[in-house]
């Protein structure tokens, strides 16, 4: 069923009237909830404000069509933590802080910030910013948004981002202070994450009113998202497309494009055809195996971007035989990752020895990892009581590379007696069912959206984040939890590095996942598309994009 903006405004108006008559909309409380969300995660950010002029002033505008592999899960920033959703949300909403192409923090809705005490951060907000509904952005809005993400009743998969916050104080209309339970230096980076996106206050209040009437959290926001971004919501036809239109009243230089349509095109070769024929302007992603076709076709080119991501194969440690670390270590050692990187990804990306990418704080090149050793893998299986192997399943979503990776692992495991069946699920179902622990082995990825080891490890491995927040391996280890908590609390960078190095060494023994590689993002792009940039978190930067006539 198509949900148009105009028709949904009537619903929102009715809900707002309900709030007025009841005179008491529920407010988010100030308690933290440790719960990140589905699969590949990401943050958003944009180019610096004021850079929106096309070179020469010609060819501005156009209707951009992006062929995406997967549909979005939610338009509510608190409702999901997957890349397709974040990619759309990044254009509708804005955060206090954003990341540039070097993953360095830049002002967005906050003009400046500083740590006024060891555990108190103060943000000076930008004045004169309005939401798409004309309402004002101010400190009360910031307080309401972050408290909503933290609210256990909302049960946001991104709550873990802010569970160290104990108080949010509105100092004045454009000054807000965050008090944390302990000194937490990555807080500004966490506020640059798309989980810190600012939603209009009336939408938040209407959403709480709907929850009181029995609706799911995010029902109002998800149907008619209202942010401060340079694009605004027009229409979502689930499974087909999301369309955004230019925000003519944007607080700074407006975007150049008139509209952006995120079209769902699940098949890799169909996305290639969409771009080569001109039906779409960008194919996201481009399979490494299709790079040559794009490179040899007139009018299109390959856009590549290094990443802060990890691709991995995880084990559900709640299910036999993966509750045994010897089995997990054996499977990890039985897989020759070079077959996957060279044969499936055409050598694009670098092998991963652990969860932290090389360009992220906390990475330690000296961590040993589990080396490829089939003989040792067989010995470990025998020691665990599985000398003759066992049967299992490998889940993946409908990404060609992930399917091929799963099939390759299937063949390699057969050499040590493990019979693995590959099962392919639709993206939304895949996220839901792996969050519920219905899987055994699974192929997935994680983008370190904040550029810090805390985000690379806490969501994936802390016991508080089991399930939807990101810990789909169901890792629960007291020693690891203690290290990850210590890493959050430590302010000295050298001491933090030592903590995260110790945690990475511990993960070698726990072996919750087989770390495959840190990939390079590839896109097929028509030559008339100008000004495109992609963050290392895989979020497309569309503010300065235009289609050259």
């Amino acid at each position: 069923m198509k949900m148009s903006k105009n028709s949904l405004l009537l619903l929102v108006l009715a809900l707002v009237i309900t709030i007025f008559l009841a005179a008491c909309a529920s407010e988010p409380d100030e308690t933290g909830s440790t719960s990140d969300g589905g699969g590949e995660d990401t943050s958003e950010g944009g180019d610096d404000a004021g850079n929106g002029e096309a070179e020469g002033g010609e060819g501005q505008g156009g209707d951009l069509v992006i062929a995406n592999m997967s549909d979005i899960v939610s338009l509510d920033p608190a409702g999901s933590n997957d890349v397709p959703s974040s990619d759309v949300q990044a254009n509708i909403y804005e955060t206090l802080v954003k990341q540039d192409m070097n993953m360095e923090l830049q002002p967005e809705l906050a003009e400046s910030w500083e740590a006024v005490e060891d555990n108190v951060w103060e943000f000076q907000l930008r004045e004169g910013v309005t939401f798409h509904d004309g309402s004002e952005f101010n400190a009360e809005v910031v307080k309401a948004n972050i408290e909503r993400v933290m609210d256990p009743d909302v049960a946001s998969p991104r709550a873990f981002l802010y569970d160290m916050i104990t108080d949010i104080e509105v100092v004045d209309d454009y000054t807000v202070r965050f008090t944390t339970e302990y000194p937490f230096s990555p807080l500004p980076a966490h506020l640059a994450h798309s989980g810190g996106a600012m939603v209009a206050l009336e939408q938040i209040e209407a959403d709480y009113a709907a929850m009181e009437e029995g609706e799911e959290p995010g029902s109002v926001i998800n149907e008619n998202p209202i942010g401060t971004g340079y694009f605004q919501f027009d229409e979502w036809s689930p499974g087909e497309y999301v369309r955004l239109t230019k925000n003519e009243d944007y607080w700074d230089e407006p975007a150049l494009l008139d509209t952006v349509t995120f079209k769902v095109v699940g098949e890799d070769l169909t996305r290639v055809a969409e771009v080569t024929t001109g039906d779409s302007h960008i194919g996201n992603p481009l399979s490494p195996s299709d790079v040559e076709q794009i490179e040899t076709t007139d009018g299109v080119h390959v856009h590549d971007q290094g990443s802060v991501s990890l691709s991995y194969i995880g084990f559900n440690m709640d299910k036999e035989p993966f509750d045994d670390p010897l089995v997990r270590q054996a499977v990890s050692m039985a897989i020759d990752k070079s077959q996957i990187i060279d044969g499936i990804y055409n050598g694009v990306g670098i092998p991963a020895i652990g969860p932290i990418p090389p360009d992220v704080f906390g990475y330690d090149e000296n961590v040993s990892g589990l080396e490829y050793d089939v003989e040792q893998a067989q010995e470990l299986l025998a020691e665990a009581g599985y000398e003759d192997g066992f049967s299992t399943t490998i889940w993946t979503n409908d990404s060609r590379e992930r399917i091929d990776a799963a099939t390759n692992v299937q063949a390699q495991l057969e050499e040590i007696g493990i019979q693995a069946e590959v099962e392919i699920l639709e993206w939304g179902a895949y996220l839901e069912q792996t969050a519920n622990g219905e899987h055994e082995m699974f192929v997935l990825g994680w983008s370190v959206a904040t550029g810090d080891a805390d985000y690379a490890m806490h969501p994936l491995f802390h016991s508080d984040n089991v399930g939807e927040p990101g810990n789909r391996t169901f890792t629960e280890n007291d020693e690891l939890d203690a290290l990850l908590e210590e890493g959050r609390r430590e302010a000295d960078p050298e001491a933090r590095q030592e903590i995260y190095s110790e945690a990475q060494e511990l993960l070698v023994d726990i072996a919750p996942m087989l770390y495959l590689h840190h990939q390079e993002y590839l896109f097929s792009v028509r030559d008339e598309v100008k000004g495109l940039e992609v963050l290392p978190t895989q979020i497309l930067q569309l503010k300065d994009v235009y289609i050259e006539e």
Side-chain angles (χ1 to χ4, degrees):
M1 179 176 61
K2 295 185 178 181
M3 297 176 283
S4 70
K5 182 177 180 180
N6 291 336
S7 61
L8 290 170
L9 284 174
L10 295 175
L11 173 61
V12 175
L13 179 61
L15 288 168
V16 173
I17 292 172
T18 302
I19 296 169
F20 175 77
L21 293 175
C24 59
S26 297
E27 292 295 335
D29 64 30
E30 296 183 14
T31 61
S33 162
T34 52
S35 135
D36 147 49
E40 296 184 273
D41 168 88
T42 180
S43 67
E44 42 231 46
D47 297 329
D48 288 341
N51 292 338
E53 293 298 320
E55 186 175 345
E58 297 178 357
Q60 297 185 24
D63 301 303
L64 185 75
V65 180
I66 303 170
N68 274 357
M69 182 178 67
S70 302
D71 195 10
I72 65 172
V73 175
S74 176
L75 288 167
D76 175 10
S80 68
N81 204 26
D82 64 297
V83 168
S85 298
S86 294
D87 211 12
V88 175
Q89 293 168 15
N91 296 280
I92 300 172
Y93 307 104
E94 294 177 301
T95 49
L96 300 187
V97 184
K98 65 181 180 182
Q99 291 152 329
D100 62 19
M101 294 299 297
N102 297 315
M103 294 295 289
E104 295 177 355
L105 299 180
Q106 304 293 340
E108 191 161 61
L109 291 179
E111 293 184 320
S112 63
W113 55 93
E114 63 175 331
V116 294
E117 298 178 28
D118 286 345
N119 64 328
V120 180
W121 285 89
E122 182 174 283
F123 288 75
Q124 298 296 326
L125 307 180
R126 193 178 299 278
E127 299 184 27
V129 176
T130 58
F131 286 90
H132 301 149
D133 62 358
S135 61
E136 182 184 8
F137 168 74
N138 54 34
E140 289 286 356
V141 172
V142 174
K143 179 180 173 69
N145 271 275
I146 301 303
E147 287 184 340
R148 177 175 181 264
V149 178
M150 296 166 59
D151 186 354
D153 291 337
V154 173
S156 171
R158 290 169 159 172
F160 77 94
L161 283 162
Y162 309 118
D163 60 14
M164 73 295 297
I165 295 174
T166 58
D167 183 61
I168 304 174
E169 177 189 359
V170 174
V171 179
D172 57 42
D173 285 350
Y174 297 102
T175 307
V176 62
R177 285 181 180 171
F178 297 91
T179 300
T180 56
E181 180 183 353
Y182 42 83
F184 187 64
S185 57
L187 184 64
H190 278 222
L191 289 166
H193 187 283
S194 52
M198 294 292 115
V199 180
L201 184 58
E202 288 189 1
Q203 287 293 89
I204 291 176
E205 292 172 341
D207 202 81
Y208 270 102
M211 286 172 60
E212 289 186 343
E213 297 298 321
E215 296 293 329
E216 290 295 317
S219 61
V220 172
I221 296 170
N222 196 47
E223 289 181 342
N224 186 31
I226 296 176
T228 63
Y230 32 81
F231 291 103
Q232 57 191 31
F233 173 70
D234 182 52
E235 188 175 22
W236 177 18
S237 179
E240 296 182 19
Y241 63 85
V242 179
R243 184 168 57 242
L244 310 179
T245 60
K246 180 178 181 176
N247 175 14
E248 299 286 358
D249 298 319
Y250 184 60
W251 56 268
D252 198 73
E253 293 294 329
L256 304 181
L257 293 165
D258 298 311
T259 67
V260 178
T261 300
F262 297 83
K263 181 163 62 171
V264 180
V265 183
E267 293 293 329
D268 290 352
L269 292 176
T270 307
R271 286 196 303 281
V272 170
E274 283 269 330
V275 175
T276 56
T277 60
D279 289 336
S280 293
H281 298 94
I282 300 172
N284 179 16
L286 172 67
S287 168
S289 58
D290 297 326
V291 166
E292 184 177 358
Q293 181 177 348
I294 293 297
E295 290 180 336
T296 56
T297 302
D298 290 338
V300 296
H301 63 275
V302 176
H303 184 106
D304 62 276
Q305 169 63 49
S307 79
V308 288
S309 73
L310 165 75
S311 62
Y312 66 89
I313 294 180
F315 312 113
N316 184 346
M317 293 166 56
D318 268 359
K319 288 192 174 181
E320 294 182 355
F322 300 111
D323 57 346
D324 188 333
L326 296 178
V327 172
R328 302 192 297 269
Q329 292 168 19
V331 172
S332 295
M333 298 180 74
I335 304 303
D336 179 6
K337 289 184 279 190
S338 66
Q339 290 187 27
I340 298 171
I341 297 171
D342 296 335
I344 297 172
Y345 291 94
N346 287 352
V348 176
I350 59 175
I353 59 172
I356 303 180
D359 292 335
V360 170
F361 172 81
Y363 172 77
D364 187 344
E365 63 181 6
N366 297 314
V367 173
S368 56
L370 292 170
E371 300 289 341
Y372 172 56
D373 188 334
V374 175
E375 189 174 314
Q376 178 67 18
Q378 290 174 319
E379 291 177 5
L380 289 172
L381 273 185
E383 186 179 346
Y386 295 97
E387 185 173 1
D388 297 326
F390 57 87
S391 297
T392 188
T393 57
I394 306 174
W395 282 17
T396 177
N397 68 303
D398 48 0
S399 157
R400 194 201 312 178
E401 282 77 30
R402 287 180 179 169
I403 294 171
D404 288 348
T407 303
N408 179 279
V409 169
Q410 176 189 45
Q412 293 197 60
L413 290 180
E414 191 171 0
E415 296 180 12
I416 61 171
I418 298 176
Q419 305 299 316
E421 180 182 354
V422 176
E423 297 186 11
I424 304 168
L425 286 75
E426 177 273 329
W427 180 239
Y430 184 63
L431 294 182
E432 180 180 357
Q433 292 179 44
T434 52
N436 293 337
E438 300 173 34
H439 56 295
E440 293 178 343
M441 294 175 64
F442 66 108
V443 189
L444 206 53
W446 187 259
S447 181
V448 186
T450 65
D452 187 87
D454 176 76
Y455 195 83
M457 299 186 72
H458 199 281
L460 286 180
F461 305 116
H462 196 285
S463 60
D464 283 344
N465 295 321
V466 160
E468 188 179 9
N471 185 351
R472 294 164 193 266
T473 59
F474 291 76
T475 301
E476 297 187 66
N477 182 283
D478 291 342
E479 184 180 357
L480 182 59
D481 279 357
L483 285 170
L484 297 182
E485 290 162 11
E486 185 181 358
R488 281 192 150 191
R489 288 166 166 78
E490 179 57 60
D492 179 67
E494 291 186 6
R496 288 190 81 217
Q497 178 64 67
E498 290 180 6
I499 293 166
Y500 286 117
S501 293
E502 186 178 348
Q504 289 169 82
E505 290 287 0
L506 180 58
L507 280 171
V508 175
D509 293 328
I510 299 173
M513 58 177 63
L514 165 62
Y515 313 102
L516 291 178
H517 81 318
H518 305 296
Q519 69 189 91
E520 186 173 331
Y521 297 131
L522 301 174
F523 307 84
S524 54
V525 183
R526 293 197 60 80
D527 290 349
E528 60 264 31
V529 175
K530 306 298 182 182
L532 176 67
E533 291 186 323
V534 182
L535 288 178
T537 56
Q538 203 181 357
I539 300 301
L540 276 64
Q541 303 297 280
L542 301 179
K543 182 176 183 292
D544 296 339
V545 171
Y546 65 98
I547 301 172
E548 187 175 64
E549 297 297 332

